[in-house]
């Protein structure tokens, strides 16, 4: 490398792990490992099958590396995950799964099924990337190879490969043991815009599912049950119409839609002071006019409204519409349309399934990180001015419900909609580095390295073992539905936050991907020619600064 203070490091290091931030799906409350209610003793045969599954996952480590690296190299944004879906569905079809593409009106959404009968177990994870997060993996500082392009700045390139590895191993065992059951794999499309899963629910994808095992990248190996810390969300675009005119020659003849957008933003900032503290809201101006000497006749602003539950977020959305109407009145413009782009409920996760999965987490444990893995982790932590904790060497957690008084805002994940329709859990697996900001280039640097690969191997073992538990333990399914019916949904019933006529915004991110895809395509991973994506990019693992560069 030709950068100052850059070298390849191999440093011994260990660090105790402290959870640093909530990922989009939201964790539960404190440790619940000392109050486990549901225990399912396994027969000697089941234990043997789970041990076999673990060994088979290890044997698929090369396939896992290839899948993770391949999807990373695509780096596609939400609703534009065409290369990603083509690659993943091709793998599944090659292995005997029946694939339905374009489900729920989304071209990049799909469902892959194998098996027959009950129980029906769905395995899901997200596949979309983050804008402007392109950077070389394995390099502990920003080093773009397609400047300005998107990449996997949250690590969504790893979850479906985890599920595929687990499903292939379980499928082999089911075939030999003649086990009844159906495996259903699906991707979370455009999770970052919260636009996919509510439409999957509406399309009936989960109507015959018994249990959903979702996965999301993290820095630990864990699962939670009960009310999560995630927030409900409504994503909406407000479009204003005005009248164009010459900005200098006859401004009095114009009515600026951009003025309305700016006044809506300003009005919301004042209104925000008087909302409850746990709310979160953010916006960008998606259309501010064409050029300064023309009074903008149209302008748009895109809002995310977040609150603790569906009723509260609906209330804030209504306030947002009132502010928009006021902005239109002040500028003598029209509030043309209010379009819901995405939505999601706050997640609530199944206690019986989570407690069963935790038993498997304890069996698997965290990966064995080597000195190079720790060096990359400490290098990026140092680069960002964070404590150099490295990667966790101990861990495996079961979190319980988060108390209402402790819910003070945070991220969202539309897995919440699925969780209110079928017993669901989210497995966190350790494929990323603690101490990073999230939705950032720094969160991409581990995602095509041995850190990501080892984390997916560990997660796939837990996932496969839990699927075998569900297939072999009817009481687990019964308990999951009892909890769902008599505790989770006893007083709260699901309804969609999207309207019956709302359609998936399949145009999202199209222009961005059309701009960057031609150059990104030059860097797609060629697994037949290179052992890893690091090798293809010519990266010596790890490459970090000896000290942070200002």
């Amino acid at each position: 490398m030709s950068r100052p203070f850059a070298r390849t490091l191999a440093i011994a290091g260990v660090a105790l792990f402290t959870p640093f931030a909530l990922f989009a799906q939201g964790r539960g409350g404190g440790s619940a490992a000392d109050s486990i209610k549901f225990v399912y003793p396994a027969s000697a045969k089941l234990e043997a099958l789970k041990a076999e599954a673990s060994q088979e996952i290890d044997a698929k480590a090369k396939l896992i590396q290839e899948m993770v690296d391949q999807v990373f190299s695509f780096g596609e944004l939400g609703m534009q995950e065409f290369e990603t879906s083509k690659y993943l569905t091709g793998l599944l079809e090659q292995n005997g799964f029946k694939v339905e593409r374009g489900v729920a009106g989304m071209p990049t959404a799909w469902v892959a099924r194998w098996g027959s009968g009950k129980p029906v177990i769905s395995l899901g994870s997200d596949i979309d990337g983050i804008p402007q997060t392109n950077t070389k993996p394995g390099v502990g500082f920003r080093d773009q190879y397609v400047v300005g392009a998107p990449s996997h700045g949250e690590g969504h390139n790893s979850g479906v490969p985890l599920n595929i590895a687990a499903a292939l191993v379980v499928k082999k065992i089911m075939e030999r043991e003649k086990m009844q059951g159906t495996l259903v794999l699906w991707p979370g499309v455009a999770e970052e815009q919260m636009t996919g899963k509510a439409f999957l629910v509406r399309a009936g994808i989960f109507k015959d599912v018994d249990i959903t095992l979702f996965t999301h990248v993290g820095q630990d190996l864990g699962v939670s049950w009960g009310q999560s810390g995630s927030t409900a969300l409504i994503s909406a675009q407000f479009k204003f119409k005005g009248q164009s005119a010459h900005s200098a020659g006859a401004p009095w003849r114009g009515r600026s839609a951009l003025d309305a957008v700016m006044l809506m933003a300003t009005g919301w900032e004042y209104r925000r002071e008087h909302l409850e503290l746990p709310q979160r809201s953010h916006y960008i101006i998606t259309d501010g006019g064409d050029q300064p000497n023309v009074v903008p006749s149209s302008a748009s602003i895109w809002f995310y409204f977040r609150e603790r539950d569906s009723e509260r977020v609906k209330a804030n959305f209504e306030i947002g519409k009132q502010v928009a109407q006021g902005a239109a009145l002040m500028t003598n413009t029209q509030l043309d349309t209010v379009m819901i782009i995405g939505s999601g409920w706050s997640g609530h996760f199944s206690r019986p399934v989570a407690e069963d999965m935790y038993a498997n987490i304890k069996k698997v444990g965290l990966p064995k990180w080597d000195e190079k893995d720790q060096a990359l982790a400490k290098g990026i932590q140092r680069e960002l001015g964070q404590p150099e904790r490295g990667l966790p060497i101990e861990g495996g957690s079961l979190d319980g419900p988060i108390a209402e008084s402790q819910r003070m805002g945070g991220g969202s994940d539309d897995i919440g909609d699925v969780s209110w329709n079928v017993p669901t859990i989210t497995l966190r697996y350790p494929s990323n580095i603690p101490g990073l900001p999230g939705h950032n280039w720094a969160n991409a640097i581990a995602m095509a390295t041995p850190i990501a690969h080892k984390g997916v191997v560990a997660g796939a073992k837990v996932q496969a073992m839990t699927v075998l538990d569900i297939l072999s333990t009817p009481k687990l399914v019964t308990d999951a539905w009892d909890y769902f019916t008599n505790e989770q949904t006893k007083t709260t019933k699901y309804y969609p936050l999207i309207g019956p006529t709302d359609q998936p915004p399949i145009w999202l991110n199209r222009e961005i991907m059309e701009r960057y895809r031609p150059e990104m395509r030059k860097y797609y991973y060629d697994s037949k020619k290179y052992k890893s994506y690091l090798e293809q990019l010519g990266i010596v693992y790890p490459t970090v600064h000896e000290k942070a560069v200002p």
Side-chain angles (χ1 to χ4, degrees), residues 347-365:
H348 187 120
F349 300 113
S350 173
R351 182 173 187 175
V353 183
E355 291 185 344
D356 178 77
M357 176 171 276
Y358 178 60
N360 293 319
I361 287 172
K362 290 190 293 182
K363 287 185 175 74
V364 172

Side-chain angles (χ1 to χ4, degrees), residues 28-33 398-402:
S31 175
L398 173 66
D399 298 324
I402 187 166

Side-chain angles (χ1 to χ4, degrees), residues 3-6 140-141 379 382-385 544-550:
R3 293 177 177 261
F5 306 113
F141 47 85
R382 181 168 60 250
E383 189 77 14
L384 299 180
V544 301
H545 286 141
E546 293 184 49
K547 60 181 180 180
V549 177

Side-chain angles (χ1 to χ4, degrees), residues 120-203:
V120 179
I121 305 166
S122 99
L123 308 178
S125 197
D126 302 321
I127 57 173
D128 56 326
I130 300 288
Q132 300 188 47
T133 55
N134 181 273
T135 194
K136 290 180 180 178
V139 178
F141 47 85
R142 188 76 185 269
D143 189 5
Q144 301 182 68
Y145 54 99
V146 180
V147 176
S151 185
H152 279 286
E154 188 167 335
H156 286 175
N157 59 302
S158 55
V160 174
L162 184 158
N163 286 337
I164 290 176
L168 295 183
V169 166
V170 171
K171 174 179 177 286
K172 180 180 177 181
I173 293 172
M174 291 175 68
E175 287 174 324
R176 187 191 68 218
E177 300 294 325
K178 295 180 172 54
M179 300 173 74
Q180 180 173 289
T182 305
L183 304 179
V184 180
L185 278 71
W186 54 275
V189 167
E191 184 276 333
E192 298 300 344
Q193 291 79 36
M194 300 282 285
T195 61
K197 299 183 187 74
F199 292 106
L200 294 179
V201 169
R202 188 172 75 180

Side-chain angles (χ1 to χ4, degrees), residues 516-533:
Y516 289 107
R517 196 189 298 276
E519 187 66 19
M520 293 171 67
R521 188 174 284 116
K522 300 175 185 178
Y523 295 92
Y524 286 174
Y525 176 43
D526 185 349
S527 61
K528 295 180 180 178
K529 188 174 180 180
Y530 299 98
K531 294 180 181 178
S532 69
Y533 197 44

Side-chain angles (χ1 to χ4, degrees), residues 185-352:
L185 278 71
W186 54 275
V189 167
E191 184 276 333
E192 298 300 344
Q193 291 79 36
M194 300 282 285
T195 61
K197 299 183 187 74
F199 292 106
L200 294 179
V201 169
R202 188 172 75 180
I205 300 302
F206 305 99
K207 65 180 183 299
D208 63 342
V209 169
D210 292 295
I211 290 174
T212 289
L213 304 180
F214 193 70
T215 62
H216 196 284
V217 63
Q219 308 84 39
D220 65 340
L221 197 55
V223 68
S224 65
W225 64 269
Q227 175 60 56
S228 74
S230 67
T231 52
L233 177 146
I234 292 176
S235 163
Q237 183 167 267
F238 298 79
K239 183 176 181 179
F240 295 86
K241 289 182 66 175
Q243 175 65 50
S244 66
H246 195 296
S247 298
W252 54 87
R253 297 184 65 177
R255 299 194 304 277
S256 174
L258 177 59
D259 287 351
V261 160
M262 295 174 70
L263 281 169
M264 180 183 179
T266 301
W268 184 259
E269 296 300 337
Y270 281 99
R271 190 68 176 86
R272 182 201 301 272
E273 178 185 0
H274 308 288
L275 300 175
E276 293 188 55
L277 294 179
Q279 76 84 27
R280 296 289 186 272
S281 48
H282 1 274
Y283 51 81
I284 62 169
I285 296 174
T286 54
D287 174 16
D290 298 308
Q291 57 192 53
N293 65 336
V294 178
V295 174
S297 60
S298 66
S300 302
I301 186 168
W302 184 8
F303 267 80
Y304 276 16
F305 302 95
R306 306 185 199 247
E307 245 291 6
R308 287 155 289 178
D309 56 46
S310 58
E311 287 299 303
R312 289 170 169 137
V313 80
K314 281 175 56 183
N316 282 2
F317 180 42
E318 291 302 317
I319 294 172
K321 288 192 281 188
Q322 293 172 0
V323 172
Q325 290 163 355
L329 285 171
M330 285 188 286
T331 54
N332 195 25
T333 59
Q334 291 180 317
L335 177 58
D336 184 36
T337 57
V338 180
M339 178 173 58
I340 292 182
I341 293 176
S343 68
W345 276 52
S346 174
H348 187 120
F349 300 113
S350 173
R351 182 173 187 175

